Amino acid sequence: MELYRLLQQQGFGSRKECRKLVEYGLVDLNGETEYNWRRELAPGDIHSLQVDGTPWALLPEPFYLLLHKPAGYETSHKPIHNPSVYRLLPQQMVNLGVSAVGRLDVDTTGLLLFSTDGQFVHALTSPKKDVPKHYRVTTKHPVSAELLARLREGVLLHDEQETLAADSAEQVGEYLLDMAITQGKYHQVKRMVAAAGNRVEQLHRLALGSLALGDLPEGAWRLLAADELAALGFASPQV
């Protein structure tokens, strides 16, 4: 593959823009500035790549990543009142059409997945897949045994025909509970807690399926490892 095509596939712009990056001496390949945008590259030829002074690790296709979403960001390419969560990702990824797997409310923090694999996005957001989503909920009033029981047994939400029950609901502090759901209704956790007689003050997603947020810093992202993808039923892509 020619160098400029590789840069294009990595989201650095159009063919013309990628050619100019090389011609202007902005691409360092294996520690040396490369000026030949037609240079042919085999898969094992690239040991290091730097574009406009910034190191770049080659993205596989498709790629999958996990972000620790902070509060104050909208999960939308066209946000209305707050910055887009896509600002937290490299522009190259946005150029390649990466999409969020579901949404988190603007004030909700925690684990949010992204991918360029439409099948992956659909598989993890389809209500038929029953992928559990685990949240830590900070409540306005103390957590009670009655609240936990109602969440586990199911509550009827406005405009819903059937009750919705939490897969699990456990107290972890006076004003804290861990709760898991498999559905994905609009504001579901907040509405369920309200219907059960309390109020959500803060909501944080801890895990989705077998993927846990772990100690990833707020605002940071990382690519999913091969074993994490395998646990979700997806093969690891190749660069």
Side-chain angles (χ1 to χ4, degrees), residues 75-124:
T75 311
S76 171
H77 282 287
K78 298 180 179 179
I80 300 175
H81 302 295
N82 301 272
S84 169
V85 73
Y86 291 93
R87 287 191 184 183
L88 300 171
L89 303 178
Q91 184 59 43
Q92 291 86 347
M93 292 181 172
V94 180
N95 293 344
L96 292 172
V98 68
S99 296
V101 179
R103 291 172 177 264
L104 290 180
D105 297 336
V106 64
D107 58 342
T108 300
T109 61
L111 187 153
L112 185 60
L113 297 181
F114 294 81
S115 182
T116 52
D117 184 346
Q119 185 179 9
F120 176 83
V121 174
H122 174 74
L124 293 186

Side-chain angles (χ1 to χ4, degrees), residues 4-126:
Y4 82 97
R5 291 187 180 276
L6 173 72
L7 294 173
Q8 186 182 11
Q9 286 188 1
Q10 291 292 306
F12 285 97
S14 66
R15 288 183 294 178
K16 182 178 180 180
E17 290 168 337
C18 291
R19 290 172 183 173
K20 293 298 183 183
L21 284 173
V22 181
E23 288 178 351
Y24 293 162
L26 298 176
V27 178
D28 286 358
L29 190 61
N30 299 334
E32 296 184 0
T33 302
E34 179 60 62
Y35 293 94
N36 179 14
W37 51 265
R38 289 189 179 277
R39 177 173 172 178
E40 289 285 346
L41 297 167
D45 289 344
I46 301 176
H47 306 294
S48 67
L49 177 66
Q50 186 169 290
V51 181
D52 198 12
T54 302
W56 183 256
L58 293 180
L59 292 170
E61 177 51 40
F63 62 87
Y64 311 81
L65 66 91
L66 182 158
L67 169 77
H68 185 163
K69 178 190 174 295
Y73 287 84
E74 294 183 29
T75 311
S76 171
H77 282 287
K78 298 180 179 179
I80 300 175
H81 302 295
N82 301 272
S84 169
V85 73
Y86 291 93
R87 287 191 184 183
L88 300 171
L89 303 178
Q91 184 59 43
Q92 291 86 347
M93 292 181 172
V94 180
N95 293 344
L96 292 172
V98 68
S99 296
V101 179
R103 291 172 177 264
L104 290 180
D105 297 336
V106 64
D107 58 342
T108 300
T109 61
L111 187 153
L112 185 60
L113 297 181
F114 294 81
S115 182
T116 52
D117 184 346
Q119 185 179 9
F120 176 83
V121 174
H122 174 74
L124 293 186
T125 54
S126 172

